[in-house]
Amino acid sequence: MAVDYLVIVVYLVGMLAMGWWGMRRAKSKSEFLVAGRRLGPAMYSGTMAAIVLGGASTIGGVGLGYQYGLSGAWMVFTIGLGLLALSIFFSARIARLKVYTVSEMLDLRYGGRAGVISGLVMWAYTLMLAVTSTIAYATIFDVLFDLDRTLAIVLGGSIVVAYSTLGGMWSITLTDMVQFVVKTIGVLLLLLPIAVVKAGGFAEMKAQLPTEYFDPLGIGGETIFTYVLIYTFGMLIGQDIWQRVFTARSDRTARWGGTVAGTYCLAYALAGAVIGTAAKVLYPNLANADDAFATVVKDELPLGVRGLVLAAALAAVMSTSSGALIACATVANNDIWARLRGLARAPQGDDHDEVRGNRLFILLMGVAVILTAIALNDVVQALTVAYNLLVGGLLVPILGGLLWRRGTAQGALAAVAVGGLTVVVLMAAYGILANEPILYGLLSSLAVYVVVSLATPPTDAAVLAAWRERVAGRAPETESVSERVPAGQ
């Protein structure tokens, strides 16, 4: 394993080195939070694919393939569909807004009254997403070095916190590009063909496994529907995804670069399912389906290649973890803390102060993520709660603001409150993993949004005029909207 260890260590040192290099470029708030909005198509596509394809998509995707065969691709496939929908229909206008957070977009559209509520919902979602990714370090480092769970979480989490704190989005972008390359080589070009060959090829796999393993809908229509509700819709509105859209150099880059990344996700989904199916032939009696990835890597890959593929798994986890971490810190600082302390009434800081403040919040949120990950053994249900609240509470007012001029601030706030409350009540009644909470949460949020918007005065014409200027890309970039809105609104 010495060669494999060396590959991993070189990879981790490289991540820290890029964090240091990114620190030299992040001299302003824009550079630190959204890479100066200067990413071209190639870098944008790679980093967007890296952020959405994390440990759940890699280790979990292979595990679903082990359980269900080719239809196990549906979870990651719906992530790709969501990214395609975002890129084709919404990314151009999102990029032209020149904001930093989803809540700032709501402020612009509805007149500065989306408030702390939407920020709190988004913060909870990004925090739990970062925690989930951080917990995955325990699995990977256990396979690599047989480390204690807590030590593995601290080690992996500290590396991500270090390079994210140093250089912000520039460091994360550079590391994500490396992680994208490593994942592509390790999973698509090495692990996929090797696993299929070791399993005897597709003909032998079909002969060894039940026919439902090759049924595209074998996982079940209800499960596929749940994935669409949670992941496809979640891709449309998550701060971690939008913050990558904000890095695009132009609306064309956002649209076409995101389309390439979404298409890559579809291929990655199928690859994971095929690897899992091959693992079922090789190891038919694994106690835990999520062990399929590590087992194939550990037992079937040659020296050196094994280290590279494990680095690919580590890359998948780190890319999602770092993206969720900077999103969590951005929301906490710009949408919650700035409002609560009444930043609009204080003197504006210079760029250095802005970078220092956001860097401090990444460090604080990183510590919180590591401590939470150590305290929790299984955050699947907690993450489901966060996704349900995100989609049930925020999908309608966000898409309504983008698509319907008659939507009002009162309608948006009512939709957030009623949709979120419906989700919470129905999760208590039906169970956290049930379909009813998110489905009825969305329906109630939509109904309230339409009714309240029609029953209240239209949004002020000046607000809508300023909104149209932003969407058209004719307004200059300004400071955070939360910095210009009185605290408590």
Side-chain angles (χ1 to χ4, degrees):
M1 292 288 288
V3 175
D4 297 323
Y5 291 160
L6 179 61
V7 171
I8 298 296
V9 170
V10 168
Y11 168 76
L12 294 176
V13 171
M15 295 300 98
L16 292 174
M18 289 187 181
W20 184 263
W21 189 87
M23 183 177 67
R24 299 165 63 90
R25 302 198 62 168
K27 301 300 184 182
S28 68
K29 179 179 180 179
S30 176
E31 295 282 352
F32 191 82
L33 293 182
V34 290
R37 308 188 195 277
R38 291 192 284 139
L39 298 192
M43 187 168 283
Y44 179 87
S45 297
T47 58
M48 183 61 86
I51 179 66
V52 300
L53 296 174
S57 300
T58 303
I59 299 172
V62 172
L64 287 172
Y66 185 87
Q67 282 183 281
Y68 302 104
L70 298 186
S71 66
W74 272 106
M75 183 188 77
V76 183
F77 202 82
T78 55
I79 291 173
L81 292 178
L83 185 53
L84 285 172
L86 174 70
S87 302
I88 294 170
F89 299 113
F90 300 109
S91 64
R93 68 186 82 177
I94 291 171
R96 288 195 293 263
L97 291 175
K98 303 297 184 185
V99 295
Y100 294 101
T101 69
V102 174
S103 291
E104 288 178 31
M105 167 264 167
L106 293 173
D107 280 336
L108 279 173
R109 170 60 181 82
Y110 295 112
R113 284 177 284 179
V116 177
I117 297 176
S118 60
L120 286 172
V121 173
M122 193 64 74
W123 175 79
Y125 157 72
T126 52
L127 178 71
M128 293 313 301
L129 184 62
V131 168
T132 305
S133 301
T134 303
I135 286 178
Y137 295 131
T139 301
I140 297 173
F141 280 108
D142 178 59
V143 173
L144 287 173
F145 306 117
D146 194 25
L147 287 182
D148 172 74
R149 177 183 182 276
T150 299
L151 183 58
I153 289 173
V154 171
L155 176 60
S158 296
I159 293 171
V160 170
V161 172
Y163 72 69
S164 300
T165 301
L166 285 172
M169 187 58 81
W170 267 122
S171 293
I172 293 171
T173 297
L174 294 170
T175 55
D176 276 357
M177 280 304 299
V178 174
Q179 289 158 358
F180 171 73
V181 172
V182 170
K183 281 193 289 191
T184 300
I185 295 174
V187 176
L188 297 184
L189 301 184
L190 293 176
L191 183 58
L192 174 62
I194 290 173
V196 171
V197 169
K198 292 282 187 178
F202 286 104
E204 183 64 21
M205 290 163 61
K206 285 187 175 182
Q208 292 286 336
L209 296 173
T211 56
E212 55 263 29
Y213 263 72
F214 302 91
D215 180 358
L217 303 179
I219 199 170
E222 184 176 347
T223 299
I224 295 171
F225 181 64
T226 301
Y227 289 156
V228 171
L229 286 179
I230 294 178
Y231 297 114
T232 301
F233 288 162
M235 287 295 106
L236 298 179
I237 59 174
Q239 169 68 23
D240 53 324
I241 309 302
W242 276 42
Q243 199 156 345
R244 296 311 174 98
V245 176
F246 299 151
T247 66
R249 184 169 60 199
S250 65
D251 52 4
R252 182 180 176 84
T253 296
R255 181 184 295 113
W256 292 108
T259 301
V260 171
T263 305
Y264 178 89
C265 290
L266 303 184
Y268 200 88
L270 184 59
V274 171
I275 293 168
T277 305
K280 185 66 176 179
V281 174
L282 294 169
Y283 309 97
N285 299 313
L286 290 179
N288 186 348
D290 284 341
D291 291 338
F293 179 90
T295 303
V296 171
V297 171
K298 197 171 184 179
D299 295 347
E300 302 297 335
L301 298 186
L303 190 67
V305 173
R306 179 170 49 202
L308 182 59
V309 174
L310 286 172
L314 195 58
V317 175
M318 283 187 161
S319 57
T320 299
S321 181
S322 59
L325 176 60
I326 194 172
C328 179
T330 302
V331 170
N333 188 20
N334 294 271
D335 290 339
I336 300 174
W337 176 243
R339 293 174 185 275
L340 294 178
R341 69 191 288 257
L343 189 58
R345 301 167 188 168
Q348 292 292 332
D350 59 23
D351 280 341
H352 177 71
D353 291 336
E354 292 285 354
V355 172
R356 183 173 57 187
N358 283 288
R359 182 174 282 137
L360 176 61
F361 265 85
I362 290 180
L363 180 60
L364 292 175
M365 292 301 103
V367 172
V369 165
I370 291 172
L371 293 177
T372 305
I374 292 171
L376 297 179
N377 288 319
D378 183 1
V379 296
V380 172
Q381 290 191 343
L383 185 61
T384 301
V385 170
Y387 261 110
N388 284 352
L389 286 173
L390 173 72
V391 176
L394 292 182
L395 180 70
V396 169
I398 290 173
L399 295 190
L402 290 171
L403 300 173
W404 191 39
R405 290 183 57 189
R406 188 61 181 81
T408 66
Q410 294 88 343
L413 290 172
V416 173
V418 172
L421 183 61
T422 301
V423 164
V424 171
V425 171
L426 292 183
M427 281 192 296
Y430 289 95
I432 290 175
L433 301 180
N435 291 331
E436 287 84 357
I438 185 63
L439 177 59
Y440 292 122
L442 276 173
L443 292 176
S444 63
S445 180
L446 177 60
V448 168
Y449 179 72
V450 172
V451 170
V452 174
S453 292
L454 293 176
T456 52
T459 303
D460 184 83
V463 172
L464 285 178
W467 167 256
R468 286 193 294 270
E469 288 293 303
R470 278 299 187 105
V471 172
R474 291 191 292 266
E477 180 179 352
T478 62
E479 292 301 316
S480 169
V481 174
S482 62
E483 296 172 5
R484 296 183 282 105
V485 178
Q489 291 192 355

